[in-house]
Amino acid sequence: MSKNTFTKGVKRQKLWDLPDNEVTPETVFKERRSIVKALGLGALGASIPGYVQAGLFDLFGEETPKNVFQSSELAFQRNSNFQLSQALTPEDKVTRHNNFYEFGTSKQDPFENAQSFQTEPWSLTIEGLVDKPIKLDYDALYKRFALEERTYRLRCVEAWSMVIPWVGFSLASLLKEAGVKSSATHVAFETLFDPDQMPGQKSRLMGGGIHYPYVEGLTIAEAMNPLSFMAVGLYGKTLPPQNGAPIRLVVPWKYGFKSIKSIVKIRVMDKQPPTSWNQLAPHEYGFYANVNPQVDHPRWSQASERSIGEGGLFSAKRIPTEMFNGYGDYVADLYKNLDLRKFY
Amino acid sequence: MRLTPRGVWWFKVLMHLMFLTPIAFLAAKVLTDNAGGDPVQYIIHYTGMGALNALVVTLVISPLAKRLKLGFLMQTRRMIGLYVFVYASLHIFAFVSLDLLFAWGFLLEEVVKRPYILVGALTYIILLLLAVTSFNRLKKKMGRSWQKLHNWVYLAALLAPIHFYWSVKSEIIEPSIYILICCGLLYLRKAKFLKQH
């Protein structure tokens, strides 16, 4: 298969084909793997039962899962309006450092526990205050709307950040097709509830005390904002489960927990829906959760963030956090009459 | 049970191995790029858990030695106590160097503003004082005040799991278990606390 495909006479250049220095070369990545193998750590780790691994010192942790989820290539256009000059976070970091408590609370858990997650068949319904409820099956997620690629910054409420090339379509195009009724004020989102596949939903210890299914919400104005994006892929391929396969929300001016994963239901409503983190700790996580360096989390500062980029341990960067994560031009107007200290 | 001096020596070697291997594994994981997408957070959490676990072990030693009449265990207590300090030092060094990148002003701001970091900092000050006064010669010199100072480990045993509890976003079960364990270990010493008043 050729690297560059031709679509409508335009040479589709993939982002990661461009500056070599911005991505971990696959050879280096594989070399690292072989060092682990040479040390025999993999075999050692595999020979020890899970309860010991999770034991006193987290001695071994789990090595790479045996069956890695197979992502497939997507066809899309690059949207030049939503690109960034910042270097991308390498793909292996985007897919191995995740908050997805349905698969465990530590950052490595989703990668380790989600690989056999079934995304097909899937059903996403858009219902509530709409003219025409929609039901999208697995294939429709990729076919109903023209896919585009956008590179967004992602800022976690824990004060780390990434730069990720998503593939998907705007939330507005989906809502427009359903036809939002004039009485609507909010949109609610819901993650799949399937404790058999999502161990965090089965065990409180693994799931971090969240009431599942995970729910999120936006105002209609936020949902219709051109930034709000339904992602079905990253780095040109379908989403891996740990990143929210098969379809997730991406709202880059808000803290990452707003960008709900593995969505099965979108409900248009006339009141503000409950949201999971707000339910769990209302004084720490508000409904809006806009990235705001001036309003600290009660337990840590939001003024700066550690940018997760290429390179190893000593290449970490701490950068100042920008208001609305740098997307103020798009969204600041939405909040001009809102006290963001009160409505954090 | 009694151990010969040689037996005690071997037991100490075993303890050293027990506390050094996790550090070797951490180094291997980080060097082979197996510490997740953000090794910084991984290292900070790992070393913090190491310190907390070692602290629990030091507090288990004297009740265990008394009840099971394993006197030789007492001879390893200082050593393990120093490992608490080693892990806590790695934990703080990783935070200051890899996370804050030596932005000292920011560190001060964080310590003052964030209760869990303040609690962690207090715990570390206690551990530091205990570590620097752990030498035999100093112990003799300090006389009775040495024991008084070293009783502060009980405060550290309360603060450390609280620091853990406060630092997590929502996964409070594990830190709660640690708080319970530490309270239990302090409860075993209730006679000692009552006597002092």
Side-chain angles (χ1 to χ4, degrees), chain A residues 13 19 27 47 73 81 108 115 140 166 174 180 229 249 277 289 312 317 340:
Chain A
Q13 206 162 22
T27 48
S47 67
E73 297 276 339
N81 294 323
Q108 296 78 237
Q115 296 308 315
W166 301 105
L174 177 61
V180 174
F229 197 59
L249 178 69
W277 279 100
K317 285 185 299 196
L340 293 175

Side-chain angles (χ1 to χ4, degrees), chain A residues 117-125 135-139 141-142 190-194 197-198 244-247 261-265:
Chain A
F117 182 65
Q118 295 297 317
T119 56
E120 205 181 341
W122 195 265
S123 164
L124 167 62
T125 56
K135 193 168 186 169
L136 298 177
D137 64 12
Y138 181 80
D139 287 331
L141 299 177
Y142 308 97
E190 191 177 308
T191 296
L192 176 72
F193 183 73
D194 186 353
Q197 288 208 78
M198 295 173 151
I247 187 161
K261 296 179 170 118
S262 304
I263 304 170
V264 292
K265 195 157 79 181

Side-chain angles (χ1 to χ4, degrees), chain B residues 53-108:
Chain B
N53 288 322
L55 184 60
V56 168
V57 174
T58 57
L59 291 172
V60 164
I61 285 180
S62 82
L64 208 63
K66 267 182 215 143
R67 256 148 249 235
L68 302 180
K69 304 209 170 2
L70 300 171
F72 68 91
L73 284 182
M74 295 303 279
Q75 295 181 52
T76 64
R77 194 170 59 166
R78 173 172 64 184
M79 179 188 107
I80 296 169
L82 285 170
Y83 274 113
V84 180
F85 177 67
V86 168
Y87 275 94
S89 301
L90 290 172
H91 177 62
I92 285 179
F93 183 71
F95 175 58
V96 172
S97 64
L98 302 173
D99 191 343
L100 298 184
L101 308 170
F102 297 108
W104 295 107
F106 190 63
L107 173 67
L108 251 116

Side-chain angles (χ1 to χ4, degrees), chain A residues 129 183-188 218 267-274 287:
Chain A
L129 299 172
S183 56
T185 59
H186 290 81
V187 183
L218 297 171
R267 190 172 180 81
V268 180
M269 303 168 72
D270 57 3
K271 58 174 192 285
Q272 183 177 303
F287 172 79

Side-chain angles (χ1 to χ4, degrees), chain A residues 274-312:
Chain A
T275 57
S276 285
W277 279 100
N278 178 247
Q279 281 180 313
L280 194 66
H283 59 292
E284 296 190 340
Y285 311 101
F287 172 79
Y288 289 94
N290 293 318
V291 175
N292 189 342
Q294 276 128 46
V295 178
D296 285 342
H297 186 281
R299 290 179 287 141
W300 56 83
S301 165
Q302 296 290 24
S304 69
E305 65 204 47
R306 214 178 49 260
S307 159
I308 299 178
E310 55 194 304

Side-chain angles (χ1 to χ4, degrees), chain A residues 10 43 135 164 168 174 192 216 224 255 307:
Chain A
V10 182
K135 193 168 186 169
I164 303 172
L174 177 61
L192 176 72
E216 259 306 336
M224 299 305 272
Y255 292 120
S307 159

Side-chain angles (χ1 to χ4, degrees), chain B residues 19 25 76 87 93 104 116 121 125 153 156 167 183:
Chain B
F19 286 97
F25 270 103
T76 64
Y87 275 94
F93 183 71
W104 295 107
Y116 84 92
I125 290 171
V153 72
S167 73
C183 287

